[in-house]
Amino acid sequence: MEIVLALVIGGLFAGGVYMLLRRNLVKLLVGLILLGHGANLLIFLMGRLIPGRPPLVPVDATHPVGLFADPLPQALVLTAIVIGFGLQAFALVLARRLYQSAHTDDLDQLRTTET
Amino acid sequence: MTPAIASEQQPANGKSWLHRLNPGWFVALLPLSLTLFFAGLICRVAAGEVITGSYPWVPSLGVNLSFYIDGLSLVFALLISGIGTLVIIYAGGYLAGHPQLGRFYIYLLLFMTAMLGLVLSGNIIALFVFWELTSLSSYLLIGFNHSQPKARASALQALLITGGGGLALLAGLVLLGQVGGSWELSTLLTQDIVIQNHPLYLPIVLLFLLGAFTKSAQFPFHIWLPNAMAAPTPVSAYLHSATMVKAGIFLLARFNPILGNTPIWQCSLTATGAVTMLLGAYLAWQQTDLKRILAYSTISALGTLVLLLGVGTAIAVKAAVVFLIVHSLYKGALFMAAGAIDHETGTRDINQLRGLRRVMPITFVAVTLAALSMAGALPLFVGYIGKKLIYEAALTAPSAAWLLTGSVLLTNTFTVVVAGLVAVRPFWGQLKPTPKPAHEAPLSLWLGPLLLAGLGLLLVGLLEFVPSSLLTPFLATSATAIADELVRVKLAAWSGVNAIFWLSLATLLAGIGLYTGRNGLRRLLSPANALTAIGPERIYERTLAGLQIVATGQTRLLQHGYLPLYLLTIVLTTAGLIGYTLLTRYGLNIGTHWSGVRMHEITVAVVILLATIAAVVSKSRLATIAALGMIGYGLSLLFVFYGAPDLAMTQLAVETLTVIILALTLYHLPRFSRLSSTAGRTRDALVALTVGGLVSVLVLTVLTVPMQSRLTPFFAENSVTLAKGRNIVNVILVDFRALDTLGEITVLAVAAIGIYALLKQQKQNEQNE
Amino acid sequence: MNIFVLLPILIPLITTIGVLLARQRPRLRRNLSLGGAGLLLIIAVELLVLVWRDGIQVIQVGEWAAPFGITLVADLFSAMMVLLAALMGLGVIIYSQATAEQRAEHFGYSALLHFILMGVNGAFLTGDMFNLYVWFELLLIASFVLLVLGGRRDQLEGTFKYVAINLFGSILFLVAVGILYGVAGTLNMADLADQLNSLPSGLVTTLAMLFLVAFGIKAGAFPLFFWLPASYHTAPAALLALFAGLMTKVGVYALVRVFTLFFTQDTGYTHTLILIIAGFTMVTGVLGAVAQTEFRKLLSFHIISQIGYLLMGLGLFTTAALGGAVYFMVHVILAKSALFLVGGIIYKLRGTYNLKQLGGLSILYPGLALLFLIPALSLAGIPPLSGFWAKFALVQAGLAAEQYVIVAVSLGVSLLTLFSMTKIWAEVFWKDQPGKETPVQAISFIPHQAGVSMLLPVGVLAAILVVIGLLAEPLVNLSLLVAGQLLNPADYIETVLGGVL
Amino acid sequence: MHSMILSTATRYLLPLLLMFSIFLLLRGHNEPGGGFTGGLVAAAALVLYGLALGLRSARQLLGIDPRMLIYVGLLTAVVSGLLGLLSGQVFMTGLWSTQTLPVIGKLGTPLLFDVGVYLVVIGVTLTIIFALMENETDSKTGSLKEE
């Protein structure tokens, strides 16, 4: 199954990079979102895949029984998702404000600070 | 800083004589006491003693404030402080009432400190520190009249040329120190054989020469010196004739025992010196501006000094020491006098000056004395001794003696012309009206020139009639310090009718002849002078302009403003570095991980991939948002399949929020339009697929490495017992790695503050408009 | 176990919460902000003293032993960086009293400054790779918000580029951390240093490349720096001083940390690469500066150029070189920030940053000229100011390592730096102001209209620069100690992991 | 937007959702859930309320500026960490009550920390969405309403 997920990650990165290189303000952000998804899935996969069991300790046990998924990558991905959300939300609103201010969503038109 | 100057501006009626003195007299007390101090050391040094001492400065880098006072340093120190005293008095008169006089003195004293530090340093890094400070103070002083663009440009030129040389010197010094094993001069002086046999010897010498030649205005770096005449005349007299430009000479002399006596050293010095000497002298007599005449003649003198050091025989070194002193005396005097003339008449153009002899008698005397010394015309003057020694050195040079003698002869002929231009032309004949009605300069302006010129006479007297005085042994120790062998000095102005006498006579006659025929000759030579149009000056300008063009071009090329291209560059850099490193350092090594593929998982994976494609190709914003949502939800399903319910819930919630925000923000943005060309799209698609492939490969490569998490067993073990929670993921978030979560919610908080500011600010901006 | 390792993160956080809660009461808010920054500086001094005297300090947050919990570590390098951050923070906060607009303050200007300090200090002190990611994101988002406060079009545009490129960098960082865990099974830096040695070096080197790019973007290295000249110059001077001083340096800090602590398997490859990047960064940065005629743009390009020197020290990878780079870091943070702050004063006086429209200031305000000249000459490496010792140390180390090309490049760049500094000097201070007769007399020594809050920070920075130049020994000594500690990580690893394992 | 059914449904749904969010928060330490998810559910409930009954009533219901929730949440999280410090241990060391409560299990500082997270998440979400919605209505009507 890892190979399938590796392909999914690759696909997300390919799509993300393609969108990242577009001239459109929004597409660029879509690209970043796709890349973010890819990165999250990648970290998740790095804990190796253990189907089924969540890392929960049964009520009357002191530690988890049998095979369980690696909780650390989950925690990392969770944090990364939330942080990513904050940054993406900010970037989206920024893009909207930029559009309102510059009246264009074409990045090639947005070069005033460097010329 | 200004009260003393303010009083200077007012008419001094009814004030005591003390108040009428310019502030220079008081400032001069400082260098005067230094001069006396150094003079007091002559005894010890003349006896052959080397006075040393050392204080740690930056011991971690091996840099100490050491001093090393031998004959060579003391000669320089005396010149610096002595001429400095006179120049400071002079400047007080020259810049009387100037509102920035205080600043001028600060710069001048900074320079003096730096110059003294340079010649007295016993640590080569400390020496470099002072070396750079002289460049800096020279920059500030050349640009003193900074409202004139010319002054600014000249200051910059001097700084760039000497600063560039300085950097080369730094590299040279560091290499020298590393080869010689110390930054201390006293140690290095014992290491000459080690250093000269080291493979780095050649680069060291070249770097040193760059430093010395730029500083001492050797061809082709000489161009900054005439331009530096934009500085107030006290500066020209002090820095650009008597002292700073001699720093390069000092450097060559100081390191001659360590680096010298090799063919490369001698050849480069002799050749460069000869060219500079001739060129300077040739250009000098063709000028009409007094200061420029003197500046070119200074270049010539510096060339002579380098030449003499290059010849390197005992007699040449002796000649160098004497000529160094002689030149400083007469050139300092002439510069100051030129400034006095400028100050009192309003012009420095020799075509406008005539008959000043009557109105400026004292200045006239001073200039005449100095010019006679310069021309080396009469055995009465120390200049004659200098000239004599130079001829002697040239005649006895180990190689190319006749060539050198010829060059010296030609140079000296030109020098005689220059002397005439300075001393005869402005003073004799009918008085011509000048921009300012000419009258004699005040005491402060003629004292310096007269004293320096007079000293030329006095020295001869000392040498001639008091042979056992301190002076000769002192000069001998100086020469010995340079030559690294015992040099005997026995100087006499008159040594009978010999080859040198005839040479001197020939020089004088040729000079007088050339002086009378100079206008004709100048016309004759004017076509040749067109060649100077492609000289170093032009190269400097071109380089500067070229630099500007390259800089602008490069910046436009790199910082072009197209964000997608920036991102492309970064993506390609990333992919290139990682792909190259992976392939060359590790190789392709991907395992196959087909174990346990289940249908529903494959389905979700395919859905995610399809949604990705949809998000990429879709032309509608809503469809893109929907596709993004699909991907997010697909991911949360995957998380569910692989035992991550918390993650799935979070992903689900965040995805929903993102979709809402996307919908809200994109509402007013225009629909997607096709902006890039097909070629561009193809290129990007190729890049994207490469990156995607690379990431997949990387992931699969990493998965071949067996991984044993070192952390997970601990979490599993202690989650309940110590952290009292059964949901290990949550325990990690709020306990094991709570600091991450604290950071995370802070990020969220800042993001919210930012979004709020973005949106509300807009409202305020609109209200303001 | 030492509280001082934690406080540099905690104090800004608590201050910022206080400032936010007190948003209706300007005076209280201001005092809180100043007090927090002042306290932070005291703590930072204390921390450095402690580390210098007693060695590396460690806190295992939540009492979870390394490598299981998150470790905060203060070695000399971290402590020094924290001190610099605190100093810059206090300086900029004082300075901002005079310049920050009411409106920016309304949207949380001073709170955001403290958020930046929190993120920066967190990044300097953490001993955990993922935690480092979190702090990076914090200081990124805070800098995003600060850059757009004001909402002008150029700010929005510049910030968008800044955001886009840096978010890409963050994603790379995240991927890199993920893979790091995927191969080594741990996130603690000290533990990583142990674990990575037993892994195939080719794979580790590949991973190192990922970090090189991710941190290279933040540091503003060639060819990843585009975001910096695109955005920085749209910000007010006070902010720029902080950004110039700290933001890119965090990237450099991270590079130094990972490339001394655990990516040292194949230094012949990785560090040579860093050296090449260093050379290009220097050259392209300084040429960019030469091309500019706007105060902030010119100095922004210089930031890049100087990053090159820092990377040069890392790339040479000897104690002398790294020591030189550490000294350079201190020097450049102080000098660069001081220059931006002087720029702010000039803007206050004349209302423009355009060199062509400025002039005459050397006569009018000799003191201001001096305040400019000290950091400018320092930056250009004129002895005996601090920049010279930095340059000298690096040149010496480079020559000792027989890396002649990079030494030649660095010396050439140093001349161009001098050139571009004299450009500002000649245009702003020497030249007459266009269209105006420059008075012959000074108006006053310093421009009093700038007020104490603007002049004091600049004065203090300039004074420090003079002191660390003239009396360079203590700082040089410290820098070499820092370098020694970085190059011999055994002590660090031992202290962090303690008795465990 | 102001549909009768939605507004009525929301009135009843709101308390349920809020209770569910608190339930998620409290059980998070032992079962899937936690401050983050709990916070999002609560925020969703309030956003829904705002959509159904207008932003103004949602704000009224909330009583305070959502930004204050962020600050208070951050403060709570810091305080939970500081408690460990004040009791002479390291920052963020977990302190636990001795008794066990139903549903929640033991009370402890990590739980308080999670409450902080919960509040921040509600505050952040509401700040963003409310500001966006306000912006939306502003630009739609062209009027500039007071906050």
Side-chain angles (χ1 to χ4, degrees):
Chain A
M1 188 56 200
E2 280 87 345
I3 203 159
V4 177
L5 286 195
L7 287 178
V8 172
I9 294 169
L12 285 169
F13 267 90
V17 166
Y18 183 78
M19 290 303 263
L20 194 68
L21 302 179
R22 308 274 46 81
R23 271 167 63 184
N24 183 294
L25 217 54
V26 177
K27 285 193 176 178
L28 190 153
L29 293 180
V30 170
L32 284 174
I33 294 175
L34 289 174
L35 288 174
H37 282 320
N40 289 339
L41 192 56
L42 184 144
I43 301 179
F44 186 69
L45 185 58
M46 284 299 125
R48 308 301 192 264
L49 290 179
I50 294 139
R53 311 216 188 196
L56 295 168
V57 184
V59 180
D60 39 11
T62 53
H63 30 88
V65 190
L67 267 182
F68 61 97
D70 189 345
L72 186 64
Q74 295 188 18
L76 301 185
V77 175
L78 210 152
T79 309
I81 290 175
V82 177
I83 289 179
F85 162 71
L87 293 170
Q88 285 160 11
F90 178 82
L92 277 169
V93 176
L94 176 65
R96 176 199 160 104
R97 287 280 296 112
L98 178 55
Y99 172 73
Q100 282 173 339
S101 172
H103 306 292
T104 178
D105 62 348
D106 180 0
L107 285 166
D108 283 9
Q109 310 291 323
L110 296 169
R111 297 169 54 221
T112 55
T113 63
E114 287 156 276
T115 43
Chain B
M1 171 183 317
T2 48
I5 300 153
S7 69
E8 192 74 21
Q9 278 174 312
Q10 292 154 7
N13 296 337
K15 295 250 175 111
S16 72
W17 65 272
L18 201 63
H19 280 89
R20 261 179 286 150
L21 282 179
N22 76 56
W25 294 96
F26 304 105
V27 181
L29 290 176
L30 185 71
L32 181 65
S33 43
L34 279 172
T35 315
L36 295 176
F37 169 74
F38 288 126
L41 294 178
I42 291 182
C43 261
R44 290 167 66 186
V45 170
E49 188 183 345
V50 176
I51 305 166
T52 57
S54 185
Y55 305 96
W57 186 11
V58 191
S60 298
L61 294 172
V63 179
N64 302 315
L65 277 177
S66 324
F67 55 89
Y68 185 93
I69 307 179
D70 62 353
L72 179 64
S73 7
L74 198 57
V75 166
F76 271 93
L78 278 165
L79 285 176
I80 294 159
S81 50
I83 298 181
T85 310
L86 296 175
V87 163
I88 279 178
I89 295 172
Y90 177 83
Y94 189 82
L95 291 173
H98 195 291
Q100 264 82 47
L101 182 61
R103 212 178 292 189
F104 185 79
Y105 275 137
I106 292 174
Y107 295 161
L108 214 55
L109 289 175
L110 173 72
F111 167 75
M112 190 185 294
T113 316
M115 199 65 208
L116 283 173
L118 166 60
V119 297
L120 298 176
S121 269
N123 182 293
I124 60 174
I125 301 304
L127 180 148
F128 180 76
V129 168
F130 294 116
W131 176 278
E132 289 287 84
L133 276 180
T134 61
S135 298
L136 176 69
S137 40
S138 158
Y139 170 75
L140 293 171
L141 285 167
I142 298 173
F144 187 70
N145 294 321
H146 46 70
S147 42
Q148 300 164 4
K150 174 129 188 18
R152 297 199 296 271
S154 304
L156 179 65
Q157 189 186 41
L159 184 69
L160 287 182
I161 293 178
T162 55
L167 291 171
L169 177 63
L170 175 63
L173 287 168
V174 172
L175 282 177
L176 179 70
Q178 284 172 353
V179 171
S182 170
W183 304 129
E184 292 296 319
L185 198 59
S186 43
T187 315
L188 288 170
L189 282 168
T190 62
Q191 296 291 310
D192 50 336
I193 296 170
V194 176
I195 291 162
Q196 296 196 0
N197 290 325
H198 196 277
L200 284 174
Y201 172 71
L202 183 65
I204 292 175
V205 166
L206 293 179
L207 291 166
F208 260 78
L209 294 185
L210 262 179
F213 288 173
T214 49
K215 195 79 163 184
S216 283
Q218 296 298 296
F219 177 83
F221 307 112
H222 64 278
I223 49 168
W224 66 265
L225 187 56
N227 291 333
M229 297 301 126
T233 304
V235 177
S236 314
Y238 192 34
L239 275 70
H240 303 129
S241 74
T243 55
M244 186 187 92
V245 286
K246 304 252 166 70
I249 307 297
F250 172 78
L251 188 81
L252 296 175
R254 178 90 287 172
F255 288 90
N256 190 50
I258 303 172
L259 298 171
N261 277 325
T262 61
I264 171 76
W265 176 268
Q266 288 174 331
C267 284
S268 358
L269 258 60
T270 314
T272 314
V275 171
T276 311
M277 174 180 81
L278 276 169
L279 185 77
Y282 171 74
L283 290 173
W285 68 266
Q286 305 195 31
Q287 308 298 316
T288 54
D289 178 330
L290 268 179
K291 279 179 79 177
R292 283 183 84 85
I293 296 174
L294 294 174
Y296 278 110
S297 115
T298 303
I299 293 175
S300 173
L302 294 168
T304 311
L305 285 166
V306 171
L307 169 82
L308 289 172
L309 290 173
V311 171
T313 55
I315 182 80
V317 169
K318 191 160 69 174
V321 172
V322 174
F323 185 58
L324 174 89
I325 300 170
V326 170
H327 175 257
S328 297
L329 295 181
Y330 74 68
K331 198 50 76 56
L334 287 177
F335 259 116
M336 286 200 248
I341 294 172
D342 185 18
H343 198 259
E344 304 310 329
T345 65
T347 180
R348 303 192 303 241
D349 187 344
I350 49 169
N351 291 330
Q352 291 188 37
L353 295 166
R354 233 0 149 261
L356 292 176
R357 162 171 58 105
R358 282 173 219 285
V359 283
M360 304 181 73
I362 310 178
T363 311
F364 169 63
V365 171
V367 168
T368 308
L369 290 178
L372 283 172
S373 189
M374 178 183 190
L378 295 175
L380 273 177
F381 291 91
V382 74
Y384 181 78
I385 303 177
K387 202 129 291 181
K388 215 181 70 169
L389 283 170
I390 296 171
Y391 275 126
E392 217 176 309
L395 282 170
T396 59
S399 54
W402 283 106
L403 197 60
L404 290 181
T405 313
S407 314
V408 171
L409 180 68
L410 194 56
T411 306
N412 284 345
T413 309
F414 290 143
T415 308
V416 172
V417 180
V418 168
L421 286 178
V422 178
V424 179
R425 169 93 194 166
F427 288 98
W428 297 83
Q430 283 294 314
L431 185 66
K432 244 185 161 180
T434 44
K436 280 202 275 181
H439 53 83
E440 183 53 271
L443 168 68
S444 53
L445 290 193
W446 57 251
L447 180 74
L450 196 64
L451 269 180
L452 287 180
L455 211 56
L457 271 171
L458 191 69
L459 277 179
V460 173
L462 278 177
L463 288 171
E464 195 72 352
F465 303 112
V466 198
S468 60
S469 73
L470 284 171
L471 208 55
T472 25
F474 176 47
L475 292 180
T477 51
S478 311
T480 307
I482 301 173
D484 204 20
E485 58 182 291
L486 193 64
V487 178
R488 291 182 194 289
V489 174
K490 201 167 153 288
L491 299 173
W494 180 252
S495 45
V497 180
N498 54 14
I500 292 163
F501 170 78
W502 292 116
L503 276 172
S504 302
L505 195 64
T507 312
L508 197 60
L509 292 176
I512 293 169
L514 186 58
Y515 178 78
T516 42
R518 68 184 186 279
N519 288 332
L521 190 59
R522 193 181 291 148
R523 262 193 302 281
L524 207 66
L525 287 172
S526 60
N529 287 350
L531 281 175
T532 47
I534 50 165
E537 182 79 51
R538 200 43 84 80
I539 294 175
Y540 170 80
E541 280 165 20
R542 289 268 164 85
T543 311
L544 216 56
L547 173 69
Q548 206 57 246
I549 293 169
V550 169
T552 315
Q554 179 237 240
T555 311
R556 253 191 225 133
L557 188 72
L558 281 176
Q559 199 68 36
H560 41 61
Y562 295 104
L563 182 56
L565 285 183
Y566 291 160
L567 287 164
L568 183 64
T569 314
I570 294 172
V571 167
L572 286 178
T573 309
T574 318
L577 277 178
I578 290 164
Y580 176 80
T581 312
L582 185 68
L583 289 181
T584 58
R585 305 268 139 183
Y586 189 69
L588 261 183
N589 180 14
I590 52 174
T592 41
H593 307 266
W594 284 104
S595 58
V597 176
R598 289 177 290 177
M599 204 52 217
H600 57 279
E601 292 165 358
I602 292 279
T603 318
V604 174
V606 169
V607 167
I608 293 177
L609 280 176
L610 287 178
T612 310
I613 294 170
V616 169
V617 300
S618 159
K619 287 194 178 56
S620 133
R621 285 166 298 157
L622 270 180
T624 306
I625 296 173
L628 282 179
M630 289 273 276
I631 297 170
Y633 296 140
L635 286 180
S636 37
L637 273 178
L638 281 180
F639 294 147
V640 170
F641 295 157
Y642 290 99
D646 280 287
L647 209 47
M649 281 162 72
T650 311
Q651 177 72 53
L652 210 62
V654 165
E655 203 52 49
T656 314
L657 259 179
T658 311
V659 167
I660 293 175
I661 293 175
L662 268 170
L664 281 172
T665 44
L666 299 194
Y667 191 77
H668 290 289
L669 287 173
R671 45 180 70 252
F672 296 152
S673 48
R674 195 188 152 93
L675 291 170
S676 40
S677 62
T678 313
R681 282 161 181 263
T682 319
R683 176 199 67 196
D684 293 346
L686 281 174
V687 172
L689 288 174
T690 314
V691 172
L694 189 62
V695 171
S696 296
V697 168
L698 189 61
V699 168
L700 290 173
T701 310
V702 169
L703 288 176
T704 58
V705 178
M707 193 273 277
Q708 267 303 308
S709 173
R710 297 162 49 70
L711 312 180
T712 305
F714 177 88
F715 295 148
E717 197 67 36
N718 298 306
S719 187
V720 168
T721 45
L722 291 178
K724 313 198 177 6
R726 287 184 288 108
N727 180 356
I728 304 180
V729 174
N730 187 272
V731 173
I732 294 176
L733 286 174
V734 299
D735 201 341
F736 292 126
R737 297 184 63 91
L739 199 59
D740 278 349
T741 312
L742 185 64
E744 168 205 319
I745 58 175
T746 318
V747 171
L748 272 189
V750 179
I753 292 172
I755 292 171
Y756 185 83
L758 272 176
L759 292 168
K760 296 295 169 182
Q761 223 167 221
Q762 169 192 21
K763 201 161 158 185
Q764 290 197 353
N765 281 355
E766 280 164 10
Q767 273 169 338
N768 289 347
E769 273 157 20
Chain C
M1 298 284 168
N2 201 300
I3 183 76
F4 284 107
V5 187
L6 175 74
L7 288 179
I9 302 174
L10 214 50
I11 289 172
L13 178 59
I14 295 171
T15 310
T16 208
I17 296 173
V19 168
L20 286 169
L21 287 172
R23 69 198 160 98
Q24 308 290 359
R25 303 174 59 189
R27 179 174 290 251
L28 176 64
R29 187 176 60 196
R30 206 181 68 186
N31 291 341
L32 271 174
S33 174
L34 283 172
L39 188 61
L40 180 61
L41 183 60
I42 297 170
I43 298 291
V45 171
E46 198 62 32
L47 179 65
L48 181 62
V49 170
L50 201 67
V51 176
W52 203 341
R53 206 182 49 206
D54 299 347
I56 298 172
Q57 300 291 314
V58 169
I59 283 192
Q60 315 286 2
V61 177
E63 264 182 27
W64 299 112
F68 310 115
I70 291 175
T71 314
L72 296 180
V73 198
D75 65 352
L76 278 172
F77 191 33
S78 315
M80 193 162 137
M81 295 307 292
V82 167
L83 176 56
L84 282 170
L87 185 68
M88 297 318 307
L90 181 61
V92 168
I93 284 166
I94 293 175
Y95 189 93
S96 298
Q97 305 291 334
T99 55
E101 293 171 43
Q102 197 54 41
R103 230 151 49 95
E105 193 47 68
H106 176 75
F107 289 112
Y109 178 81
S110 39
L112 288 162
L113 290 181
H114 287 282
F115 274 130
I116 293 240
L117 288 178
M118 176 188 178
V120 168
N121 287 342
F124 291 150
L125 289 170
T126 188
D128 184 282
M129 283 312 278
F130 189 79
N131 198 235
L132 182 64
Y133 166 78
V134 174
W135 298 126
F136 259 102
E137 299 309 285
L138 175 57
L139 65 92
L140 264 187
I141 182 88
S143 66
F144 294 167
V145 179
L146 277 169
L147 270 177
V148 288
L149 281 186
R152 290 191 325 270
R153 178 188 163 165
D154 61 332
Q155 288 181 308
L156 293 166
E157 211 181 301
T159 311
F160 188 79
K161 290 176 180 167
Y162 181 64
V163 169
I165 294 176
N166 274 287
L167 285 190
F168 181 72
S170 295
I171 287 165
L172 289 181
F173 188 3
L174 193 59
V175 167
V177 173
I179 296 180
L180 204 53
Y181 178 74
V183 292
T186 184
L187 292 167
N188 183 293
M189 295 184 193
D191 199 26
L192 280 168
D194 274 353
Q195 300 306 313
L196 289 181
N197 278 329
S198 53
L199 288 167
S201 99
L203 195 58
V204 176
T205 308
T206 309
L207 194 50
M209 291 300 111
L210 212 45
F211 279 101
L212 184 63
V213 177
F215 293 152
I217 291 177
K218 318 270 173 190
F222 177 88
L224 313 161
F225 57 68
F226 311 112
W227 55 271
L228 196 155
S231 63
Y232 267 21
H233 64 91
T234 63
L239 209 54
L240 262 177
L242 190 73
F243 281 19
L246 293 179
M247 302 299 278
T248 47
K249 308 306 178 287
V250 182
V252 177
Y253 168 87
L255 279 173
V256 170
R257 182 61 79 198
V258 301
F259 279 96
T260 54
L261 188 57
F262 47 77
F263 289 136
T264 49
Q265 285 81 4
D266 193 359
T267 52
Y269 179 68
T270 50
H271 289 65
T272 309
L273 191 63
I274 292 176
L275 214 51
I276 295 169
I277 293 174
F280 277 105
T281 309
M282 274 178 212
V283 172
T284 49
V286 84
L287 285 178
V290 166
Q292 304 306 314
T293 53
E294 207 254 28
F295 206 110
R296 291 176 300 180
K297 282 190 182 181
L298 198 158
L299 291 179
S300 296
F301 272 104
H302 265 299
I303 299 176
I304 298 168
S305 172
Q306 276 124 20
I307 294 296
Y309 283 92
L310 298 171
L311 295 180
M312 173 179 164
L314 177 60
L316 289 171
F317 208 55
T318 61
T319 312
L322 213 50
V326 170
Y327 183 95
F328 198 101
M329 179 95 101
V330 179
H331 140 77
V332 81
I333 288 177
L334 298 172
K336 188 40 78 51
S337 301
L339 281 179
F340 276 116
L341 294 181
V342 170
I345 294 178
I346 293 170
Y347 183 74
K348 172 116 180 174
L349 294 174
R350 291 291 161 81
T352 179
Y353 287 106
N354 189 333
L355 300 183
K356 303 245 185 254
Q357 292 165 16
L358 289 162
L361 290 175
S362 118
I363 297 230
L364 296 181
Y365 304 106
L368 185 64
L370 187 66
L371 283 180
F372 169 80
L373 217 46
I374 291 171
L377 294 176
S378 272
L379 216 53
I382 297 287
L385 292 164
S386 54
F388 169 70
W389 300 112
K391 183 170 77 181
F392 170 58
L394 283 173
V395 164
Q396 191 193 347
L399 290 177
E402 301 186 357
Q403 296 284 1
Y404 300 119
V405 178
I406 192 76
V407 171
V409 169
S410 74
L411 287 175
V413 168
S414 142
L415 187 65
L416 291 178
T417 309
L418 181 62
F419 174 64
S420 56
M421 286 298 146
T422 57
K423 184 168 166 178
I424 301 184
W425 171 254
E427 295 285 320
V428 177
F429 291 91
W430 265 4
K431 182 187 72 186
D432 289 339
Q433 194 180 5
K436 271 195 189 172
E437 191 90 357
T438 305
V440 287
Q441 288 266 16
I443 295 179
S444 62
F445 187 64
I446 45 168
H448 292 292
Q449 57 267 53
V452 179
S453 59
M454 287 179 96
L455 290 169
L456 180 76
V458 187
V460 170
L461 288 181
I464 297 178
L465 278 172
V466 171
V467 170
I468 64 170
L470 289 179
L471 307 171
E473 175 59 17
L475 186 58
V476 170
N477 188 22
L478 175 63
S479 303
L480 289 172
L481 285 179
V482 169
Q485 214 173 48
L486 287 171
L487 287 178
N488 302 298
D491 193 22
Y492 178 99
I493 297 169
E494 168 84 27
T495 318
V496 170
L497 297 181
V500 184
L501 312 165
Chain D
M1 279 290 202
H2 286 267
S3 96
M4 198 58 192
I5 303 165
L6 183 62
S7 55
T8 320
T10 311
R11 273 179 219 279
Y12 291 104
L13 213 52
L14 183 74
L16 276 175
L17 279 172
L18 286 180
M19 273 169 64
F20 178 60
S21 82
I22 292 175
F23 169 73
L24 275 176
L25 163 70
L26 292 181
R27 73 165 213 155
H29 213 50
N30 294 319
E31 305 291 336
F36 192 83
T37 356
L40 279 177
V41 170
L46 285 160
V47 170
L48 198 62
Y49 191 85
L51 283 173
L53 296 159
L55 217 53
R56 191 166 298 216
S57 14
R59 279 191 185 278
Q60 268 166 5
L61 182 77
L62 193 60
I64 52 169
D65 188 329
R67 284 186 294 164
M68 286 309 267
L69 282 179
I70 306 179
Y71 311 150
V72 172
L74 272 180
L75 192 62
T76 314
V78 176
V79 166
S80 83
L82 284 176
L83 286 175
L85 203 62
L86 292 177
S87 69
Q89 279 154 305
V90 185
F91 182 67
M92 287 193 153
T93 306
L95 300 175
W96 295 94
S97 68
T98 39
Q99 294 101 339
T100 310
L101 296 172
V103 187
I104 308 169
K106 286 182 176 152
L107 278 179
T109 50
L111 189 64
L112 189 60
F113 183 80
D114 224 8
V115 172
V117 175
Y118 176 80
L119 291 175
V120 171
V121 170
I122 299 178
V124 166
T125 316
L126 291 183
T127 305
I128 297 175
I129 303 232
F130 282 3
L132 271 172
M133 282 165 71
E134 262 163 12
N135 204 263
E136 205 58 26
T137 42
D138 289 351
S139 41
K140 229 181 263 171
T141 56
S143 69
L144 297 166
K145 277 183 279 181
E146 272 306 302
E147 251 182 69

